[in-house]
């Protein structure tokens, strides 16, 4: 049967976001662990907490729709997470790794912002006022996280560019990462 209603598309998009968020619940602790800067690590930890709430909000929406959130894999997020994992395998110096992690995380936030913007528009069209407000809370958190990362990048990227003038030997954390890469 063709899926010819906007409501069906809305549900599919929500399932995609649910998959995206649950993938990030697993990925964010890894980003936090790979961060050298304390502020960056805390930003990832804080966003992990928010992401768990975002998962709950989606579950609330699915409950009102009498639908299950499972059954779809967000391939876009899978790709972004894979790229992030690849980045973490590199033996960048600490400050350079932090800059790389910010880049990976901002890709994720922008992807989420696009997805939530779409479902918010659908929810409005479908007259799902409760959903609109839940979606907007999440959208606001994603935008704030993106902003926080931009601010951290302004500080940390200049440290990364200074790292260039230092000795080319990998840092301790970089060496640890290379060692775990060899062990993997
Ligand atoms: Fe999210
Ligand atoms: Fe996010």
């Amino acid at each position: 049967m063709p899926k010819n209603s906007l409501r069906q598309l809305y549900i599919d998009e929500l399932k995609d976001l649910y998959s995206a968020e649950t993938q990030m619940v697993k990925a964010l602790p890894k980003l936090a662990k790979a961060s050298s800067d304390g502020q960056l690590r805390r930003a990832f930890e804080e966003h992990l907490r928010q992401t768990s709430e975002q998962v709950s909000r989606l579950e609330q929406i699915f409950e009102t729709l009498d639908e299950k959130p499972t059954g779809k894999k967000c391939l876009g997020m899978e790709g972004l997470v894979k790229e992030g994992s690849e980045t973490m395998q590199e033996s960048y110096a600490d400050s350079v790794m932090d800059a790389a992690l910010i880049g990976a995380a901002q890709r994720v936030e922008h992807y989420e912002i696009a997805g939530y913007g779409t479902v918010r528009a659908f929810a409005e069209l479908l007259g799902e006022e409760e959903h609109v407000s839940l979606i907007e809370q999440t959208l606001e958190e994603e935008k704030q996280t993106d902003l926080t990362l931009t601010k951290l990048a302004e500080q940390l990227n200049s440290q990364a560019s200074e790292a260039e003038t230092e000795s080319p030997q990998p840092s301790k954390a970089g060496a640890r990462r290379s060692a775990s890469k060899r062990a993997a």
Side-chain angles (χ1 to χ4, degrees):
M1 207 173 70
K3 295 177 177 179
N4 55 9
S5 72
L6 183 67
R7 180 166 292 271
Q8 192 56 59
L9 174 61
Y10 176 54
I11 291 166
D12 285 346
E13 295 274 355
L14 287 168
K15 285 186 180 187
D16 197 70
L17 282 165
Y18 185 79
S19 163
E21 295 293 11
T22 51
Q23 289 183 58
M24 282 317 289
V25 168
K26 288 186 199 147
L28 279 161
K30 294 176 192 165
L31 289 168
K33 205 177 161 201
S35 306
S36 297
D37 180 79
Q39 272 179 285
L40 181 60
R41 192 172 53 247
R42 282 188 294 277
F44 285 137
E45 287 165 355
E46 166 66 6
H47 198 50
L48 171 61
R49 195 188 58 70
Q50 290 176 328
T51 301
S52 305
E53 282 175 27
Q54 295 170 357
V55 168
S56 308
R57 285 186 200 118
L58 287 169
E59 284 167 349
Q60 280 180 59
I61 291 175
F62 276 99
E63 248 169 63
T64 72
L65 289 165
D66 207 18
E67 293 273 348
K68 288 214 164 67
T70 50
K72 208 169 188 304
K73 175 129 201 184
C74 178
L75 297 176
M77 188 61 87
E78 187 181 37
L80 292 174
V81 168
K82 271 189 190 158
E83 282 192 5
S85 306
E86 253 180 42
T87 296
M88 287 185 268
Q89 296 292 311
E90 299 287 346
S91 53
Y92 294 132
D94 288 356
S95 56
V96 178
M97 179 58 81
D98 283 352
L101 297 175
I102 291 172
Q106 284 196 288
R107 282 179 175 81
V108 169
E109 295 316 311
H110 283 237
Y111 187 74
E112 291 178 315
I113 289 165
Y116 280 106
T118 298
V119 293
R120 179 183 58 185
F122 291 168
E124 277 167 359
L125 278 167
L126 295 166
E128 296 284 4
E129 292 309 319
E130 261 184 71
H131 298 188
V132 171
S133 95
L134 288 165
I135 291 164
E136 277 179 351
Q137 286 173 53
T138 295
L139 196 48
E140 202 44 47
E141 287 171 353
E142 310 294 27
K143 287 180 183 171
Q144 276 304 322
T145 299
D146 181 47
L147 260 175
T148 300
L149 290 169
T150 296
K151 283 186 193 142
L152 282 171
E154 281 164 8
Q155 285 173 240
L156 299 176
N157 290 358
S158 62
Q159 289 173 29
S161 76
E162 281 159 24
E164 231 166 273
T165 57
E166 289 162 13
S167 100
Q169 287 163 350
S171 65
K172 276 182 199 160
R176 271 202 306 277
R177 277 190 292 268
S178 312
S180 61
K181 185 181 176 183
R182 280 192 298 273

